[in-house]
Amino acid sequence: MTTNLDLWPIGNCQVSGLVDRAGRLVWACLPRVDGEPVFSSLLSGVEAGDAEAKGVWAIDLEGCVKSDQAYLRNTPILVTRHEDEQGNAVEIIDFCPRFTSNERVYRPVAFVRVVRPVAGSPRIRVRLRPTRGWGNGDVDHTAGSHHIRYILDREAVRLSTNAPIGYIVEERVFRVEHPLYFFLGPDESFSTGLAPAIERMLHDTTVEWQAWVRGLATPFEWQDVVIRSAITLKLCQHEETGAIVAALTTSIPEHEDSGRNWDYRYCWIRDAYYTVQALNRLGALDVLESYLTYLRNIVEGSRGGHIQPLYGVLGEAKLEERIEEGLAGYRGQGPVRVGNQAYEQVQHDAYGQIVLCNVQAFFDSRLFRMAGVEDFTALEAIGDLAWEVHDKPDAGLWELRTRQSVHTYSAAMCWAACDRLANAAHRLGLPDRANFWQDRADKIHATVVDMAWRTETQRLSATFDGDRLDASLIQLLDLRFLSPQDRRYRATLYALETGLRRGTDMLRYDSEDDFGLPKSAFNVCTFWLIEALYQTGRTEDARRLFEEMLARRTTAGLLSEDIDPATGELWGNYPQTYSLVGMINCAVLLSKPWAAIR
């Protein structure tokens, strides 16, 4: 069991893992992010440092009294330094190889660890204890002269190492006198020397990530925040298909003993839209291009019909939700859920997000594949769906499970679909289609304003019925549905901040849902508020609130989905794309210009 979310992600856009403050790998799934956990102690209910802990890969320094961690600059390569009372010290380098070789990206289903003695005569113990069957079964192993083979449910993985195999198998303490190399990956032998091969992987992976970061258009201020968020968002993309998962974990509760434990290791159309939007602001077009390929497959597969709010990383439509009893959950607070019932829901905002992601391809000459008339015709089918459902009930962006309403946010996203199709038609020189889509957009806009505005309270409601406060209304500004000067927007923003803000933090809403009253704040809602404060002229308030949110980050520089407004403790799946997007967007918006250094 890990007692907090102070965790460091590593990965290569095929697999990912989380390393705790003691340098232990406590979460990793194979053969991809939505697979079964081979390291599962994050959700085991047992502390990773305990003698009986399973689902952990620990490299512990005997008598350790001090540990420091940091990423290699502009990479997701983690360096952990352990030191004992006598000053003996080791350095552990954790990474997943990812680099271009022979015109292809090499990203194996593998985790690499390098242990270097850096002072004195350090002694370590290696505990490599993988799990299978979601904690329900023990893992058998066989050992060779330079490897250990672990038998999982569907396949085997092999640890190749130059460390003494007997010490690893029996978990004995031994002295580190030279660099040790560990490669846990496919059940294949190394065809070359292990040490030079891993050193080359480390070098090439470092260069690859630093070159990617070098191409980012970062703001002048908060560059470390933006770069770390961008790298981690990149890790959330399953590069093989272009899918972008909402988080790297499942079943971290939204708050203590809440039962609000969800599996976020899938691609939500909404979350992916926000991710590519943020990375586009930094010029990371590779993520957008890969995602658009994934999205085109989803749209074509729907054959003009309903589009789900989420899909699997390979485009799987059916994501049946189940509870795995073999793991007790984060801090023992289950259930541990696999799959997500939300795939069955109707969420109309997805149509707007599909068009918003695609529309850039009609305008951006930097893209390898710009969109044309054929692409526009395909997108018109999405616009037709948006038009048909803009005033129909749905589950909303917060995915309510037991009731539906006509949600203002969803309707505004349907408006955005039609509005941006009009823009694309103008770009393609199709005036008749531009007028057609602009007419639909205007009608939706009028409907939303008419149905959502409440004369009695002088604000917009989150639904066409009732008078509900919901932070999603802040997004009407980002969508360009309303302007910062619009009195209706300003009145709504005042009501939202008054009703939903709790100190530094913003709630999603303050009414009961399927699980009662929410107790945690949703981090991205606070970032939405920061953007709105800035755009409505409250610059200093926005900067101050942004700095307060940055102070909530883990030592890795990241945020989870939720936060306890009273204690500041992070909850929810981690790292979460929404929260990373919020940090990037606010930094870009609030930063002083580069001209400030002249």
Side-chain angles (χ1 to χ4, degrees), residues 97-110:
R98 182 186 178 278
F99 52 87
T100 303
S101 177
N102 298 322
E103 299 183 350
R104 296 188 301 175
V105 178
Y106 175 70
R107 47 173 186 269
V109 180

Side-chain angles (χ1 to χ4, degrees), residues 11-12 72 138 191 209 256 279 335 363 411 414-415 440 486 565 582 594:
N12 61 3
L72 289 183
D138 294 327
S191 58
W209 279 104
E256 191 168 10
L279 290 177
F363 294 87
C414 291
W415 165 84
R440 282 188 165 182
D486 192 297
W594 277 95

Side-chain angles (χ1 to χ4, degrees), residues 358-363 367 369-376 428:
N358 275 277
V359 74
Q360 182 174 342
F362 294 96
F363 294 87
L367 296 173
R369 182 191 182 281
M370 290 193 68
V373 173
E374 183 179 345
D375 299 291
F376 176 77
L428 294 171

Side-chain angles (χ1 to χ4, degrees), residues 211-227:
W212 185 78
V213 169
R214 188 172 181 268
L216 298 179
T218 57
F220 173 59
E221 295 183 272
W222 303 296
Q223 289 184 48
D224 58 330
V225 174
V226 170
I227 289 171

Side-chain angles (χ1 to χ4, degrees), residues 73-138:
R73 181 174 173 267
N74 294 351
T75 77
I77 301 171
L78 177 63
V79 180
T80 303
R81 189 181 190 276
H82 294 313
E83 185 175 328
D84 67 17
E85 290 181 341
Q86 289 73 44
N88 303 307
V90 294
E91 181 180 87
I92 304 169
I93 302 173
D94 285 302
F95 72 104
C96 298
R98 182 186 178 278
F99 52 87
T100 303
S101 177
N102 298 322
E103 299 183 350
R104 296 188 301 175
V105 178
Y106 175 70
R107 47 173 186 269
V109 180
F111 299 90
V112 178
R113 313 195 78 176
V114 179
V115 181
R116 304 189 197 277
V118 293
S121 303
R123 292 165 58 80
I124 65 169
R125 184 196 309 272
V126 179
R127 293 182 293 126
L128 178 48
R129 300 175 179 179
T131 54
R132 64 179 180 85
W134 289 90
N136 285 304
D138 294 327

Side-chain angles (χ1 to χ4, degrees), residues 107 237-244 267 269 272 276 285-302 311-315 354 357-358 361 367-371 375 379:
R107 47 173 186 269
Q237 182 166 56
H238 186 69
E239 205 165 43
E240 178 184 345
T241 63
I244 301 169
C267 184
I269 302 295
V276 297
L285 295 182
D286 58 321
V287 176
L288 169 65
E289 288 183 308
S290 295
Y291 177 63
L292 289 182
T293 299
Y294 174 84
L295 202 52
R296 283 191 289 269
N297 279 310
I298 295 296
V299 171
E300 288 179 8
S302 73
Y311 293 85
V313 297
L314 298 185
I354 290 170
C357 283
N358 275 277
L367 296 173
F368 287 128
R369 182 191 182 281
M370 290 193 68
D375 299 291
L379 274 184

Side-chain angles (χ1 to χ4, degrees), residues 349-409:
D349 57 310
Y351 302 121
Q353 287 134 9
I354 290 170
V355 175
L356 286 166
C357 283
N358 275 277
V359 74
Q360 182 174 342
F362 294 96
F363 294 87
D364 198 332
S365 298
R366 298 171 297 170
L367 296 173
F368 287 128
R369 182 191 182 281
M370 290 193 68
V373 173
E374 183 179 345
D375 299 291
F376 176 77
T377 301
L379 274 184
E380 284 194 296
I382 301 301
D384 287 336
L385 290 169
W387 169 252
E388 291 172 11
V389 303
H390 73 272
D391 57 354
K392 303 295 189 299
D394 72 349
L397 80 163
W398 307 126
E399 300 181 341
L400 301 176
R401 294 194 167 199
T402 59
R403 62 177 182 265
Q404 293 191 341
S405 297
V406 182
H407 288 90
T408 304
Y409 174 87

